[in-house]
């Protein structure tokens, strides 16, 4: 279980403070933003007061000076910058003059988020400040340079977005296949240069890192994590399920680069599956969503299936969930949906063999790290491990733990959020909501409108109840964007996140205030 502590003030965003906090025992992640830093920590070993003291001490000891100076060449206008003419018109400039103005300044990376590697840059000349587009584009090309209000930034990957596009960079600000995936970090200084003109003279106390002008690079490709020829092959994927992902404890300590923690959404169920086959609790395993894959055993192995959504079927016969199962070579393992909950977990004795990215085997679809299973994949064991078949443990509530059938009401406890207001709290706790959509990013709720709106972008905790101006709450899960600009009047109690993760469209939710103490 995690606690989240906000540190308010620009001093806490300093790179030296962020790095110092990451070195504190009990700190799990640090998310710096414009004028705040969100610290995820273990509440049993580190209090909010201790987090603040560590940040203050780090700030006092931080060396003076600024970050690196990085030059980013840009192809301005035309097909690369379809909104440059409009930005220039609003500024009373020609497109060429607007491009020169944008490239003539020096910017500071104030935050990295929205998507992995996306830099929020302060220092945009006031004449170029332009409101976001009234209707966001469904697809902004990777490497697009945009402006919105008083900031500029670079889209690392293709995504939806509402910024005004004025050009495209000739360098990738994020590429998971690169030795250094992130071009920019909080505190770095940035200068843009029109591609073809060269970076020019870069003066300053910090060394510059520049690149030669080049064509716009292709979109970053996902990083493959599953080995193509595992040393200990165990299971062949005959057919994939809806969404089968390798997960472990998650990617800790990387939030400052915009990477979500990820990992299993129902962590207790995942840990139990690993325990049943003798693995360490956070060993890599499979998270299965709504439907499961069809697998064929390539060698004798032991597996366990936990979570409410799926029941195992071995050789056409129903097998017990929450129990370690011995598979013989050639056995076919299928999964029968129970109609209850959204996710189940499949652990393999020895763990699922997988490469790691920044310390974790967890797939991150938004970050282009890994991918879902597909037909023809071979899952290997990470290590030899003796496991006993027939070991079982059914949690309180049995297979129904964590979720109810369609139409039931799931009660979730709320804690006050960073934008806690009585009106929003009353709306959240006043009547049930219905789940309108759910995925690994979050759960969208329909019901009576909740007061919300925009705030300065800041770190977003897992479990935050985020309320856009329209008033429909979204409860954010492990794959959420690390930064957000909407009000968060409440947080779901960390102990209730596994139940939240098992909700499906059509389920109903009632929020209640968590008991104090």
């Amino acid at each position: 279980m995690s606690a989240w502590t906000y540190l308010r003030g620009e001093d806490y965003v300093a790179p030296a403070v962020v790095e110092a906090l990451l070195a504190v025992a009990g700190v799990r992640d640090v998310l710096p933003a414009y004028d705040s830093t969100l610290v995820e920590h273990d509440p049993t070993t580190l209090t909010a007061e201790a987090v603040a003291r560590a940040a203050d001490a780090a700030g006092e000891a931080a060396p003076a000076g600024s970050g690196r100076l990085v030059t980013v060449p840009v192809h301005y206008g035309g097909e690369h910058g379809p909104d440059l003419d409009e930005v220039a018109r609003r500024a009373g400039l020609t497109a060429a003059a607007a491009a020169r103005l944008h490239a003539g300044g020096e910017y500071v990376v104030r935050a990295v988020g929205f998507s992995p590697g996306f830099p929020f840059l302060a220092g945009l000349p006031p004449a170029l400040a332009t409101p976001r587009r009234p209707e966001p584009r469904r697809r902004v090309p990777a490497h697009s340079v945009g402006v919105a209000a008083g900031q500029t930034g670079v889209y690392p990957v293709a995504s939806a977005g509402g910024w005004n596009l004025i050009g495209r960079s000739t360098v990738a600000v994020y590429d998971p296949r690169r030795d250094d995936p992130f071009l920019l970090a909080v505190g770095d200084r940035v200068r843009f240069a029109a591609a073809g003109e060269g970076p020019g003279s870069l003066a300053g106390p910090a060394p510059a890192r520049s690149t030669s002008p080049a064509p716009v690079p292709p979109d970053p490709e996902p990083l493959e994590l599953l080995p193509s020829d595992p040393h200990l092959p165990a299971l062949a994927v005959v057919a994939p399920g809806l969404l089968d992902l390798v997960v472990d404890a998650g990617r800790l300590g990387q939030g400052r680069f915009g990477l979500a923690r990820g990992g299993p959404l129902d962590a207790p169920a995942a840990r139990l599956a690993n325990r049943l086959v003798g693995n360490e609790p956070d060993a890599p395993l499979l998270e299965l969503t709504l439907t499961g894959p069809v697998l064929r055993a390539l060698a004798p192995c032991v597996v366990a299936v936990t979570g409410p959504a799926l029941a195992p079927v071995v050789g056409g016969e129903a097998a017990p969930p929450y129990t370690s199962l011995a598979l013989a070579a050639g056995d076919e393992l299928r999964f029968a949906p129970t109609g209850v909950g959204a996710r189940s977990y499949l652990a393999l004795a020895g763990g699922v063999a997988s490469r790691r990215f920044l310390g974790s085997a967890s797939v991150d679809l938004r970050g282009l790290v890994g991918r879902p299973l597909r037909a023809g994949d071979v899952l290997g064991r990470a290590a030899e491990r003796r496991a006993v078949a027939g070991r079982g443990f059914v949690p309180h509530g049995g297979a129904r733990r964590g979720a109810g059938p369609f139409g039931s009401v799931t009660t979730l406890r709320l804690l006050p959020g960073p934008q806690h207001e009585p009106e929003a709290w009353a709306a959240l706790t006043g009547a049930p909501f219905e789940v309108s959509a759910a995925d690994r990013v979050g759960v969208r709720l329909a019901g009576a409108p909740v007061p919300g709106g925009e705030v300065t972008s800041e770190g977003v905790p897992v479990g935050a109840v985020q309320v856009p101006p329209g008033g429909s709450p979204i409860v954010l899960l492990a794959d959420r964007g690390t930064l957000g600009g909407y009000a968060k009047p409440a947080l779901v109690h960390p102990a209730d996140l596994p139940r939240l993760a098992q909700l499906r469209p059509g389920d109903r939710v009632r929020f209640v205030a968590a008991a104090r103490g």
Side-chain angles (χ1 to χ4, degrees):
M1 190 156 50
S2 290
W4 299 86
T5 297
Y6 279 93
L7 303 172
R8 301 290 182 181
E10 293 186 11
D11 291 343
Y12 293 123
V13 183
V17 175
V18 172
E19 295 297 332
L21 284 171
L22 285 168
V24 174
V27 169
R28 293 171 176 161
D29 212 344
V30 179
L31 310 180
Y34 281 92
D35 54 7
S36 67
T37 292
L38 180 58
V39 182
E40 179 188 2
H41 57 96
D42 180 351
T44 65
T45 61
L46 196 63
T47 64
E49 293 75 14
V51 169
R53 288 196 299 270
D56 289 339
E60 293 173 1
S66 53
R68 304 167 304 158
L69 180 58
V70 181
T71 296
V72 177
V74 177
H75 290 290
Y76 284 101
E79 61 176 329
H80 298 304
D83 300 325
L84 179 61
D85 287 343
E86 175 61 18
V87 171
R89 185 192 65 79
R90 293 176 64 96
L93 301 170
T94 65
R100 286 194 298 271
L101 183 60
H102 184 264
E106 184 173 286
Y107 303 85
V108 176
V109 181
R110 296 296 300 274
V112 177
F114 170 65
S115 62
F118 187 108
F120 289 82
L121 304 174
L124 185 72
L128 300 182
T130 307
R132 287 177 173 84
R133 292 170 56 86
E135 290 294 330
R137 288 183 170 89
R138 292 182 179 271
R139 186 181 186 278
V140 173
H143 320 300
S144 292
V145 178
V147 297
Q151 57 196 348
T152 188
V154 184
Y155 284 81
V157 298
S159 65
W163 290 31
N164 302 277
L165 308 183
I166 63 172
R168 291 184 75 190
S169 167
T170 67
V171 294
V173 294
Y174 171 66
D175 186 346
R177 301 162 70 94
R178 202 164 54 197
D179 288 342
D180 183 359
F182 305 99
L183 182 68
L184 299 170
V186 172
D188 285 345
R189 295 173 295 135
V190 175
R191 287 183 180 175
F192 293 99
E197 297 180 3
S201 174
L202 301 175
R209 183 169 73 181
S210 62
T211 56
S212 300
V216 173
D219 287 11
E221 295 183 3
L223 176 67
E224 182 65 73
L225 294 182
L226 284 177
S228 58
D229 186 18
H231 177 61
L232 298 170
L235 298 169
V237 180
V238 178
L242 179 65
L243 184 66
D244 313 316
L245 303 177
V246 175
V247 294
D248 56 13
R251 200 158 280 112
L252 300 175
Q254 305 299 327
R256 66 196 186 282
F257 297 118
L259 278 173
R261 176 176 175 174
L265 296 190
D266 188 342
R271 288 195 293 266
L272 177 56
N274 271 323
R275 286 299 197 190
L276 289 172
V277 296
N279 292 342
E280 292 298 317
D282 293 325
L285 78 169
L286 291 179
E287 180 178 89
L288 314 176
T289 303
L290 294 179
T291 65
V294 178
L295 306 172
R296 185 178 69 255
L298 300 175
C301 57
V302 177
V303 301
V305 178
T306 62
L310 299 166
V313 178
V314 179
E317 298 290 333
Y322 297 95
T323 303
S324 56
L325 307 171
L327 302 181
D331 279 352
E332 185 178 82
L333 175 61
R334 292 176 176 264
F335 299 87
T338 65
V340 176
R343 294 173 175 85
S344 285
Y345 295 85
L346 171 66
L348 173 65
V352 175
S354 177
R355 302 181 183 91
R356 282 169 164 73
F357 175 71
L358 297 177
S360 173
S362 286
V363 172
D364 180 350
L365 298 178
R366 295 177 71 248
L368 303 179
V369 179
R371 57 170 175 79
L373 296 187
R374 59 191 178 207
D377 284 339
V378 173
L379 299 176
R381 291 177 292 160
E384 295 275 12
R385 185 174 295 278
R386 295 177 61 86
V388 177
R391 175 185 290 177
F393 177 81
V394 179
H396 297 295
R400 298 173 69 85
R401 186 193 66 78
F406 293 119
S408 68
V409 178
T410 296
T411 299
L412 300 172
R413 293 169 292 172
L414 289 184
L415 300 168
Q419 287 83 39
H420 175 71
E421 293 182 354
E423 294 81 3
W425 187 267
L428 286 168
T429 58
F433 292 84
E434 183 174 303
V435 177
S436 60
D439 58 18
R440 284 186 53 89
V441 173
V443 176
R444 293 179 178 270
L445 302 175
V450 178
E454 296 191 26
V455 298
T456 301
S457 292
E458 62 185 12
V460 178
V462 175
V465 182
Q466 180 173 270
V467 185
S472 296
I474 305 168
V475 190
L476 299 176
L477 295 174
D479 281 3
R480 89 289 182 216
T482 54
L483 299 182
Y486 295 126
K488 298 170 289 300
L491 309 176
V492 170
H493 192 288
D496 289 350
L497 291 177
R499 286 194 290 157
L500 175 68
Q502 294 293 355
L503 294 174
R504 298 158 52 140
D507 284 341
R508 292 193 295 159
V509 176
R510 179 182 293 278
F511 293 116
V512 299
R516 295 185 180 275

